[in-house]
Amino acid sequence: MSTSPVLLDVQGLQTAFHTEAGAWLAVDGVDLTVKRGEILGLVGESGSGKSVTGFSLLGLIDPPGEVVSGSVRFNGKELRGLREEQMRALRGDRIAMIFQDPLMTLNPVLKVGEQMAEAIYTHYPRVSRDEIRARCTEALGQVGIPSPASRLDNYPHEFSGGMRQRVAIAIAMLNKPELIIADEPTTALDVTIQAQILFEMQKLCREQNTAMIWITHDLGVVAELADQVAVMYAGRIVEYGSVEHVLANPVHPYTKGLMESMPGAAAPGARLAQIEGMAPTLTSRETGCPFRPRCPRRGDLCAQQAPEVTARGERRYRCHYPLEVQA
Ligand SMILES: Nc1ncnc2c1ncn2[C@@H]1O[C@H](COP(=O)(O)OP(=O)(O)OP(=O)(O)O)[C@@H](O)[C@H]1O
Ligand SMILES: [Mg+2]
């Protein structure tokens, strides 16, 4: 296995949906790198392309959608072009996904212990029943489920919403993945439970050196959880850097707007709805910077061409008139 610190390296990812009006890029040139053990927050408003990015990385885009270009290297190996069975061998083993709705992961008619056993057995058919049971019990305990051994015999509906999401997280962690892609897994939960789960996920990732991409619309969550942040707007990453630097000193007017729309800095549960105007829809994208109609700093150039990526130190952004970089 590779020991390079870079676990996931995504370059120029483009994912299109083919519609009657033609191909439309929901993800338009995304570059990301995630190091081992690092947590990346992928943040943006509804429709910005966060989930499509996550699904694209896992090879889970179905027609009329299609990953049309770019490279997704995991442990140095290109995932684009792998056969479905090769991707399936990776998913749930080296790469795991957690969804907003735990019922996307959990089968309502199977006991939790049976589903967990299946998740191990699929990838490791030689593990004994006793060991499987021990690993499942341990995994439920790790995510804070009381009396884990007896809970293995419960069905998903016998858990509360928060506990059910913990079960889905336990399944994701079962085979000690190197990368977890978590798509708003705590958004539907109340704020206290969300905070507990964030804390536990962060701890588990640190202990096991697991990398994670945490998709959210909530910059408060990013501030609490992540090391790096990628701010997404209209299918592109508009600002990217360490959480520390980006949140202390955003250079993209959209990032600044997101921060100002939070009720209190770093408050979990903060929504990002207060930037003037609407996120562009399928029909409203055109030439120039997609954020232009809502941007307080827009100038002549913004109507003429979409900004390319500018790198300054470890910070990257797409803006013709960025705020000053102080760090
Ligand atoms: N199956 C599909 N067919 C056509 N368009 C789609 C499909 N799935 C997603 N899209 C479009 O791609 C864009 C990005 O969607 P995506 O689900 O990635 O947004 P998101 O950032 O995850 O939003 P949210 O915060 O609401 O989950 C949206 O405009 C969406 O309408
Ligand atoms: Mg989404």
Side-chain angles (χ1 to χ4, degrees), residues 27 70 88 97 136 143 158 163 168 177 191 214 244 287 298:
V27 171
R88 220 179 297 133
M97 182 127 190
C136 294
V143 295
E158 296 177 274
M163 285 294 163
V191 174
W214 190 279
E244 194 189 346
T287 47
R298 64 178 173 260

Side-chain angles (χ1 to χ4, degrees), residues 16-36:
F17 286 99
H18 299 282
T19 69
E20 282 178 6
W24 176 75
L25 291 172
V27 171
D28 187 6
V30 160
D31 304 335
L32 292 173
T33 44
V34 184
K35 296 192 184 119
R36 285 172 198 287

Side-chain angles (χ1 to χ4, degrees), residues 242-255:
S242 72
V243 167
E244 194 189 346
H245 289 139
V246 170
L247 298 193
N249 180 205
V251 301
H252 198 289
Y254 178 62
T255 314

Side-chain angles (χ1 to χ4, degrees), residues 15-19 24-27 43-55 61-65 100 183-184 215-217 232 235 280-282 285:
T15 302
F17 286 99
H18 299 282
T19 69
W24 176 75
L25 291 172
V27 171
V43 67
E45 287 167 297
S46 189
S48 54
K50 308 181 295 297
S51 295
V52 172
T53 301
F55 284 118
I61 296 289
D62 293 320
Q100 179 171 352
D183 192 353
E184 309 238 23
I215 295 174
T216 180
H217 58 267
M232 213 166 169
T281 58
L282 196 143
R285 288 191 197 173

